[in-house]
Amino acid sequence: MYQKSLSQHDNFLRLVMENIPQFVFWKDINSIYLGCNMNFAKRAGLEHPKEIIGKNDYDLPWAKQDADFYRLVDRRVMDSGKAEVNFEEQQRLSNGKDKWLITSKIPLFGEDNQIVGILGTYEDITHRKEMELVLKNSAEALSESNERLVKLNTQLEQANIDLEHFAYATSHDLQEPLRMIGGFATLLKKRYIDKLDGQALEYIDFITKGVMRMSDLIRDVLSYSRIGPIDEAHQSVNLNEVIISKLADLQPIISQSNTQVHYLLPTHPVKCHSDRLGILFYNLILNGIKFNQSANPLVCIEHEEREHEWLFTVKDNGIGIESQYQDLIFKPFKRLNKRNEFSGSGVGLSICKRIVNLHQGNIWITSNEHGGTNFLFTISKNL
Ligand code: ADP
């Protein structure tokens, strides 16, 4: 009965050893193998665990320096009597493959409390290590490309600033010779009015008009180049005050065109750059008045508060913009009408777009039921 239960017990132990996912081995005091489980036997290139008995690490198919290291740790554990658990080590197999192991070694004590050997177990963590390496490499690659991006971005920002300075400086410098041409054309007309025939005087008028137009263009390029990013924080702005001040500036053209301007703006402050929002509304209202041939010109400004942004709409009952041009006209100098029909340089809307972008928003156009245009733009609430 006792015999039977003992052999049952042995059987069970064998089953455990065969099925345990770890590699298990035990050695005597001289690091000579006394036994192992099936996993270990296979890793050692053996058919059966029994074949391990009497062998040492130099008999097994791993590199000599690995065997040296295993025996060194064996010695340390057995001399100190202290287990070493979960340390990482490597194993180079005879096929040249490197394996990563996480190993524990425990001293085995005999009946008289003397150390008689060592029990070792390990798990193969090569796959995990390879994954870690892949992750580490991709994290490094990511951080490298991130650094590259940051660098490129800085270069781009600098190039932008340089370009703005260049545009500013050249347009500024262009004004001087232009003033000279205009001045001498006027002088020429004044001094030689009796000596010049009608055609010559007409040519001088062309020169003067060209100078004036060029001067307007330069002024607008200058204003465009001034709308760069600003360092100062956005203020809390009462947009009603902004509009009132802009309508005062626009008063002459409003009265002359007999335009009605209605507005309904937030009563509480909005975070934005006050001057720039002023320029934005000014340009959109001016366009609504300018490109308008209705008998009763009308411009309406409305708003909608959304979760993360404000939406503003500037509607007019003007000449409208065909849908195929509704993106194009935000490009600098893009105009849809003949110069003598409506004045302007074609820079206003590109300035508007820049201002909106600097407020982390979008600007776009739709047509309305009066055949006129709706300009819609958003500005972020998280500035
Ligand atoms: P500008 O007014 O100096 O010509 P903008 O950049 O403000 O320049 O406008 C570009 C063009 O877009 C205008 O020349 C005009 O053809 C068209 N446009 C702008 N606003 C309107 C509008 N409210 N209604 C119809 N056309 C418009």
Side-chain angles (χ1 to χ4, degrees):
M1 178 73 186
Y2 174 73
Q3 273 297 324
K4 194 178 172 208
S5 76
L6 203 66
S7 79
Q8 246 179 5
H9 179 258
D10 279 357
N11 231 352
F12 230 89
L13 205 62
R14 193 180 48 79
L15 272 176
V16 171
M17 281 298 179
E18 273 175 15
N19 289 292
I20 202 165
Q22 273 88 356
F23 298 76
V24 184
F25 56 89
W26 51 99
K27 299 174 178 176
D28 71 8
I29 191 115
N30 296 314
S31 286
I32 306 290
Y33 283 93
L34 295 175
C36 68
N37 71 345
M38 198 57 194
N39 267 350
F40 187 90
K42 275 191 209 148
R43 176 61 65 87
L46 306 171
E47 295 274 318
H48 194 274
K50 271 187 196 153
E51 293 170 34
I52 197 88
I53 301 169
K55 291 196 163 41
N56 65 38
D57 281 293
Y58 299 115
D59 301 325
L60 299 179
W62 29 79
K64 180 180 173 301
Q65 68 266 30
D66 293 337
D68 287 344
F69 179 72
Y70 301 152
R71 291 171 64 95
L72 187 91
V73 179
D74 289 355
R75 200 62 279 141
R76 203 163 58 213
V77 169
M78 288 193 276
D79 287 350
S80 69
K82 283 196 192 115
E84 294 192 17
V85 291
N86 293 339
F87 59 91
E88 288 184 5
E89 55 181 4
Q90 274 188 292
Q91 190 169 64
R92 170 155 295 182
L93 300 181
S94 54
N95 59 10
K97 278 191 183 156
D98 281 322
K99 297 283 179 188
W100 275 96
L101 316 175
I102 184 153
T103 307
S104 294
K105 284 187 173 173
I106 299 133
L108 294 173
F109 291 89
E111 279 169 6
D112 52 358
N113 225 15
Q114 290 291 307
I115 289 176
V116 293
I118 191 163
L119 169 71
T121 66
Y122 64 80
E123 252 178 88
D124 189 330
I125 53 161
T126 312
H127 184 64
R128 194 173 87 199
K129 278 281 181 191
E130 281 168 357
M131 281 305 158
E132 274 171 15
L133 195 70
V134 170
L135 270 179
K136 190 169 159 262
N137 285 347
S138 34
E140 272 169 17
L142 201 72
S143 116
E144 261 173 38
S145 51
N146 216 15
E147 267 173 36
R148 255 203 315 275
L149 265 180
V150 170
K151 220 160 149 188
L152 275 178
N153 208 22
T154 322
Q155 283 172 354
L156 207 67
E157 271 172 18
Q158 191 51 49
N160 244 342
I161 293 171
D162 290 349
L163 208 65
E164 275 157 22
H165 285 171
F166 178 74
Y168 182 81
T170 39
S171 18
H172 191 263
D173 290 353
L174 278 176
Q175 269 174 337
E176 189 44 44
L178 200 62
R179 257 197 296 274
M180 210 165 89
I181 299 171
F184 277 107
T186 315
L187 202 67
L188 192 66
K189 189 172 173 185
K190 211 166 142 194
R191 290 257 178 97
Y192 295 91
I193 193 147
D194 303 333
K195 297 196 178 105
L196 293 170
D197 63 16
Q199 189 149 46
L201 292 173
E202 196 187 355
Y203 290 162
I204 292 176
D205 283 345
F206 285 150
I207 295 174
T208 313
K209 275 191 194 140
V211 165
M212 272 157 58
R213 196 173 136 58
M214 181 89 174
S215 170
D216 286 350
L217 273 172
I218 291 173
R219 185 201 56 214
D220 288 346
V221 171
L222 269 172
S223 355
Y224 182 81
S225 64
R226 278 198 200 110
I227 312 277
I230 34 157
D231 294 333
E232 69 210 66
H234 289 89
Q235 314 116 332
S236 291
V237 177
N238 181 344
L239 288 179
N240 289 282
E241 285 173 12
V242 173
I243 286 287
I244 289 169
S245 125
K246 290 300 154 190
L247 290 182
D249 294 344
L250 286 163
Q251 199 45 52
I253 184 169
I254 292 177
S255 318
Q256 193 196 335
S257 58
N258 209 15
T259 306
Q260 285 201 48
V261 182
H262 299 296
Y263 60 90
L264 192 65
L265 286 169
T267 44
H268 49 279
V270 169
K271 259 208 161 164
C272 63
H273 189 282
S274 166
D275 291 348
R276 289 183 176 176
L277 259 259
I279 297 174
L280 175 57
F281 277 118
Y282 179 96
N283 277 322
L284 295 182
I285 300 169
L286 177 63
N287 281 352
I289 301 172
K290 216 165 65 169
F291 299 103
N292 202 321
Q293 291 173 332
S294 156
N296 302 301
L298 186 66
V299 175
C300 291
I301 304 164
E302 293 162 5
H303 77 277
E304 182 189 317
E305 180 164 10
R306 294 174 165 181
E307 194 183 348
H308 299 294
E309 61 188 12
W310 292 96
L311 170 70
F312 295 94
T313 312
V314 180
K315 298 181 179 177
D316 65 51
N317 60 349
I319 60 169
I321 298 175
E322 285 177 49
S323 56
Q324 73 260 37
Y325 300 119
Q326 292 185 349
D327 285 332
L328 266 186
I329 54 156
F330 290 103
K331 298 205 183 308
F333 307 115
K334 187 73 201 166
R335 307 185 73 237
L336 303 178
N337 312 96
K338 289 199 189 89
R339 203 180 306 143
N340 53 5
E341 231 181 324
F342 300 99
S343 64
S345 63
V347 178
L349 287 180
S350 47
I351 290 180
C352 292
K353 191 173 167 73
R354 263 193 125 183
I355 293 174
V356 170
N357 286 347
L358 289 168
H359 286 81
Q360 290 165 28
N362 285 313
I363 183 163
W364 68 101
I365 292 172
T366 59
S367 303
N368 61 38
E369 67 278 15
H370 310 290
T373 312
N374 300 334
F375 277 89
L376 296 99
F377 70 89
T378 55
I379 62 173
S380 167
K381 282 182 166 178
N382 308 312
L383 294 169

